Amino acid sequence: MDDNTVRQAAQDHAEGVVAGDLRRAGAYLTREAQEGAGEVMKIIPNPATEAEVTSVSPSGDEFLVTIRYAGPQGEAVVASRWIDAGGPKIVGFDS
């Protein structure tokens, strides 16, 4: 798994969040990440009208990813940890 693969997956995940397509966004979450997703969703503007992957950095067996979400009510940056679990998946959040 490389930076570009993770970036593409993270952007697709973020676009799913913006579109309100929780099935699409959730497809990138491991079971562990699903447990923390509710708290993260509370900080994302509702509605979110745009999302941008601002960084992807390898860290051992994981990639650290930050995504900026923006909407009429402001913006939030979400940091997440991604692993290769049969493809790029979020294993946890650092926000």
Side-chain angles (χ1 to χ4, degrees):
M1 194 165 75
D2 62 18
D3 293 19
N4 191 46
T5 301
V6 175
R7 182 176 292 277
Q8 289 176 349
Q11 189 64 46
D12 189 52
H13 163 76
E15 289 172 6
V17 171
V18 170
D21 186 346
L22 299 183
R23 182 173 297 207
R24 176 179 168 190
Y28 291 99
L29 301 174
T30 61
R31 181 173 297 281
E32 296 87 357
Q34 289 173 359
E35 293 172 6
E39 289 302 311
V40 173
M41 291 301 292
K42 290 178 185 177
I43 68 167
I44 295 173
N46 187 9
T49 55
E50 64 179 272
E52 174 189 11
V53 176
T54 57
S55 70
V56 176
S57 305
S59 178
D61 292 338
E62 299 179 340
F63 285 82
L64 305 178
V65 175
T66 56
I67 302 171
R68 183 186 65 82
Y69 293 94
Q73 299 172 343
E75 65 178 51
V77 175
V78 175
S80 54
R81 298 183 322 277
W82 292 65
I83 61 169
D84 187 353
K89 302 281 185 186
I90 299 170
V91 70
F93 299 96
D94 294 334
S95 297

